[in-house]
Amino acid sequence: MRIKQLNPSIANQIAAGEVIERPASVVKELLENSVDAASGDIDIFLEQGGIGLIKIRDQGRGIAKDDLVLALSRHATSKIATISDLDSVRTLGFRGEALASIASVSRLTLTSNNGTDNIGWSISPDNEVAAEAHTRGTTVEVRDLFYNVPARRKFLRTERTEYLRIDEIVRKISICYPKINITLINEGKITRNYRSSHSNEEKIRRLQDAFGKGFTENAVYLDECKEGMRLSGWVSLPTHSRSQSDQQYFFVNSRVIRDKLIAHAVKRAYADVLYQSRQPVFALFLDIDSTSIDVNVHPTKSEVRFTDSRAVHDFIFGVLRRVLADVTPKDLIKKPNTDQQIPTPIQSGFVMEGISQAPYSNTILDHHKTFLKNIVKETDDEMPPLGYALAQLHGIYILAQNEYGLVIVDMHAAHERIIYERLKVSEENLTVQPLLVPVTISVTSAEVNVVNLFSDEIDALGIELTIASEESLIIRAIPTILPVSNSEELVRDVLSDLVELGSTRRIFERRDEILSTMACHGSVRANRKLSLEEMNGLLRAMEKTKRSAQCNHGRPTFSVLTVAEMDSLFSRGR
Ligand code: ADP
Ligand code: MG
């Protein structure tokens, strides 16, 4: 067998396989070209889910008559000229591949007017250039996608599914370019109209057009800069999570990007407030110096490589973690009448971990009385977000009345979070209370070993232990914030965490988990009667505590039932 050069049209078809997978990839490439041509208005017409027809019309720069043939040939681009241009690409395209690829697997007609004369020029599927009336801008008409590649056609889904994928890519690009007016017309009907938005308010409207109204109402806006990077956009409140990761949008320099590193940073930022299996919703925009990324990683340009990926990861993690920490109950309680104003429990039927049925001892009660009372005094007359306590229900919930209705608080979950955050804040120098009567406990030799190995780490947790024998320890002090009466259980649980983690590095990384274990021992259990004063103390503490709208496991700590909602329970006012 001799080697032969493939003819260009076959070579193009093979190359097209990488870029053009389905109608949505055609739409993505054509939209990107219109964006690069600085069009303020783009119309997309579809027939049969894009399989029969995709026609995109823009009002951009246009293409010169003499460049039409070139525009359809491979490796022909007006966007870069030298390899060094790749270091600082500012356009979405640069590979000079899309039009050639699409033309090789469909019947493509390109019509354009670049404003040099009054008419437009068009190039037909059989490469004939002819005059064609066209106002300034470009129209690309793609018919019968994959008519000549049956293997690909076979893999297409129903017209409806292909349409939905196009809808999704249009949504993503529209969020990135709020100034461009984008209209999607399917089978002659307008199905989307992303109106151009210039002010911030309009941008929010644009996001609502894309995600629905509930999104911005249940999300936090952020915009922060650091060392040549800027992160802006919206992240959902932990209570507005989903079971799937289908509403997570990330854009780097206005490109739609998928990236494991970034996904990891976001997941870690939510780890402390979101239940494991739940997924946040977000639209985040990272702007970064174009010389610090490589966009030429993948033919579809859906991935980038960061020069300093660690810095990007840490920046995103740091910003999100802080933003989420600052969400307080007040942010979650909004005026009624705007629909969906209350945080809805993320999932019903959770097993309440950590709630023991044992009644709370009096020493713990005293311990918390002083703690809670001190907080009560600081409030002024205005109605606080979580209102004032009315009663306790079944030893589990606090009922309170606020401006809008009834507030129901899971007291153990809320208190646990408060203690946990206090432990984390005082991480550096936990105040410790020496026990008046040191407690001797019997332990296994493995646990004694752990005390030997990790004495510094145990010290840092505010726990003072001495080894009494091969199988016993003496507890001499514990953090002031935790009740003395529970010290034995506390130490046992911390030791078992340490045995399990096994190395200093892991202890350091999982410190929050250990603190969370400790917090559980400090919080009020079910079936503990609280006075109104104590309940109010807890509510005030919640209002001031970071992340207090979720317990340490990511479940909500409170819910609000508005008067309007109660009215509807009784068919009142109808
Ligand atoms: P790339 O976008 O990577 O340059 P394409 O194959 O997508 O490659 O397009 C080839 C060239 O055709 C572009 O570089 C651009 O000059 C021109 N072009 C394509 N679409 C448009 C458009 N809608 N408006 C103006 N010029 C366009
Ligand atoms: Mg392109």
Side-chain angles (χ1 to χ4, degrees):
M1 279 274 233
R2 303 292 306 275
I3 301 174
K4 271 176 285 174
Q5 186 76 47
L6 287 174
N7 85 39
S9 81
I10 297 178
N12 277 342
Q13 281 183 11
I14 292 173
E18 289 186 324
V19 197
I20 305 302
E21 203 191 335
R22 51 184 359 112
S25 8
V26 174
V27 172
K28 172 177 183 280
E29 293 295 335
L30 297 183
L31 263 179
E32 289 187 350
N33 281 345
S34 296
V35 170
D36 283 346
S39 178
D41 230 293
I42 305 173
D43 294 330
I44 308 157
F45 302 85
L46 304 175
E47 279 168 23
Q48 297 162 277
I51 304 164
L53 171 77
I54 295 169
K55 186 167 105 180
I56 298 199
R57 207 212 134 92
D58 68 42
Q59 298 175 11
R61 257 175 234 125
I63 304 169
K65 178 194 170 195
D66 293 343
D67 281 353
L68 285 177
V69 174
L70 215 48
L72 297 186
S73 42
R74 259 188 108 199
H75 310 308
T77 178
S78 56
K79 298 170 192 176
I80 58 168
T82 66
I83 191 69
S84 61
D85 290 346
L86 254 189
D87 292 343
S88 53
V89 190
R90 283 176 204 287
T91 49
L92 291 169
F94 55 84
R95 300 174 60 96
E97 235 176 16
L99 288 183
S101 295
I102 300 167
S104 73
V105 293
S106 70
R107 300 185 220 273
L108 185 146
T109 309
L110 173 64
T111 312
S112 195
N113 175 349
N114 72 343
T116 48
D117 43 34
N118 257 341
I119 53 164
W121 293 91
S122 156
I123 179 164
S124 68
D126 26 64
N127 269 348
E128 271 165 34
V129 177
E132 173 84 43
H134 196 285
T135 52
R136 181 151 192 201
T138 304
T139 299
V140 185
E141 195 179 297
V142 177
R143 288 192 179 273
D144 306 327
L145 186 63
F146 298 140
Y147 76 95
N148 53 354
V149 200
R152 261 294 146 88
R153 216 183 155 106
K154 227 174 39 200
F155 281 101
L156 293 182
R157 299 296 170 86
T158 62
E159 292 175 5
R160 172 91 195 134
T161 308
E162 297 300 338
Y163 165 76
L164 289 175
R165 298 207 186 196
I166 294 175
D167 186 43
E168 182 67 7
I169 193 74
V170 174
R171 184 199 325 276
K172 286 180 179 167
I173 292 180
S174 87
I175 302 170
C176 265
Y177 297 93
K179 288 183 186 154
I180 306 177
N181 193 55
I182 302 177
T183 313
L184 183 63
I185 299 129
N186 188 33
E187 307 289 351
K189 275 196 227 87
I190 295 182
T191 47
R192 299 275 172 195
N193 179 17
Y194 298 105
R195 295 157 289 173
S196 70
S197 340
H198 298 273
S199 69
N200 238 356
E201 222 164 64
E202 283 177 327
K203 278 184 199 149
I204 293 179
R205 190 193 63 198
R206 176 90 163 211
L207 211 81
Q208 289 173 342
D209 284 349
F211 283 124
K213 227 173 165 235
F215 178 70
T216 45
E217 282 175 2
N218 292 293
V220 196
Y221 180 73
L222 58 97
D223 189 347
E224 304 210 14
C225 297
K226 190 186 169 189
E227 290 157 13
M229 293 179 278
R230 174 177 176 190
L231 185 71
S232 60
W234 282 263
V235 291
S236 63
L237 295 169
T239 39
H240 195 65
S241 62
R242 292 170 68 78
S243 60
Q244 313 235 313
S245 59
D246 58 341
Q247 291 192 2
Q248 305 187 338
Y249 298 95
F250 198 81
F251 308 95
V252 178
N253 294 358
S254 299
R255 276 174 202 283
V256 181
I257 291 297
R258 271 195 317 262
D259 190 285
K260 282 212 183 82
L261 173 99
I262 287 159
H264 181 260
V266 175
K267 204 172 159 62
R268 258 190 73 207
Y270 273 91
D272 211 10
V273 289
L274 202 58
Y275 197 70
Q276 281 261 322
S277 58
R278 303 291 300 179
Q279 299 286 344
V281 175
F282 57 83
L284 286 171
F285 305 84
L286 178 72
D287 291 299
I288 186 169
D289 185 6
S290 51
T291 57
S292 330
I293 55 170
D294 182 359
V295 289
N296 188 27
V297 182
H298 195 267
T300 61
K301 299 161 286 174
S302 58
E303 289 169 30
V304 291
R305 223 171 266 136
F306 297 101
T307 320
D308 188 352
S309 54
R310 188 81 233 165
V312 174
H313 176 281
D314 293 352
F315 172 57
I316 295 172
F317 170 71
V319 170
L320 294 191
R321 192 177 153 87
R322 187 153 24 82
V323 165
L324 292 170
D326 289 341
V327 173
T328 63
K330 192 166 163 228
D331 301 308
L332 299 182
I333 297 177
K334 299 186 190 110
K335 285 195 176 53
N337 298 332
T338 57
D339 39 73
Q340 274 303 307
Q341 71 281 52
I342 32 163
T344 38
I346 48 177
Q347 198 175 312
S348 58
F350 267 122
V351 185
M352 300 300 292
E353 290 164 29
I355 288 202
S356 92
Q357 294 305 308
Y360 222 64
S361 77
N362 272 325
T363 12
I364 296 181
L365 177 62
D366 291 340
H367 181 81
H368 288 287
K369 255 186 187 155
T370 27
F371 163 59
L372 297 176
K373 261 186 198 159
N374 289 341
I375 296 166
V376 167
K377 282 194 204 118
E378 294 169 35
T379 54
D380 40 33
D381 290 332
E382 213 181 291
M383 176 69 101
L386 292 173
Y388 294 111
L390 303 169
Q392 201 178 3
L393 186 75
H394 285 294
I396 300 174
Y397 297 105
I398 293 171
L399 305 183
Q401 172 177 327
N402 78 351
E403 206 180 329
Y404 308 117
L406 178 70
V407 182
I408 306 161
V409 175
D410 178 335
M411 67 182 196
H412 172 74
H415 196 204
E416 200 177 17
R417 169 64 82 178
I418 292 166
I419 303 277
Y420 176 40
E421 292 299 328
R422 286 169 66 109
L423 284 171
K424 280 203 284 187
V425 171
S426 46
E427 221 168 356
E428 291 311 311
N429 49 353
L430 276 177
T431 50
V432 297
Q433 48 182 337
L435 305 193
L436 287 179
V437 186
V439 180
T440 306
I441 58 171
S442 53
V443 291
T444 63
S445 54
E447 285 168 326
V448 171
N449 213 10
V450 155
V451 175
N452 262 326
L453 278 174
F454 302 122
S455 58
D456 289 348
E457 287 75 13
I458 295 171
D459 258 9
L461 291 169
I463 300 173
E464 257 176 54
L465 294 178
T466 46
I467 299 172
S469 76
E470 272 169 29
E471 289 185 334
S472 64
L473 298 171
I474 303 173
I475 309 169
R476 300 200 175 273
I478 63 165
T480 315
I481 192 173
L482 300 176
V484 173
S485 60
N486 260 13
S487 55
E488 178 172 344
E489 280 171 51
L490 169 78
V491 169
R492 285 193 190 286
D493 280 357
V494 169
L495 288 181
S496 85
D497 274 4
L498 296 181
V499 171
E500 201 183 303
L501 293 174
S503 79
T504 309
R505 189 178 56 86
R506 290 190 65 206
I507 291 171
F508 182 76
E509 281 169 2
R510 311 277 284 273
R511 194 185 165 94
D512 281 356
E513 282 169 40
I514 302 174
L515 294 176
S516 170
T517 301
M518 290 167 67
C520 189
H521 288 284
S523 52
V524 283
R525 301 300 168 91
N527 288 337
R528 253 282 302 112
K529 280 232 162 5
L530 293 182
S531 69
L532 279 181
E533 200 176 23
E534 287 173 296
M535 289 188 244
N536 281 324
L538 189 69
L539 298 179
R540 299 299 78 80
M542 281 174 76
E543 284 155 1
K544 288 188 183 154
T545 303
K546 287 181 189 298
R547 308 180 185 87
S548 68
Q550 300 83 36
C551 79
N552 300 354
H553 315 283
R555 293 182 291 260
T557 53
F558 72 94
S559 199
V560 180
L561 193 58
T562 62
V563 174
E565 286 168 314
M566 282 188 260
D567 284 349
S568 75
L569 286 180
F570 299 97
S571 312
R572 256 180 83 127
R574 289 225 182 125

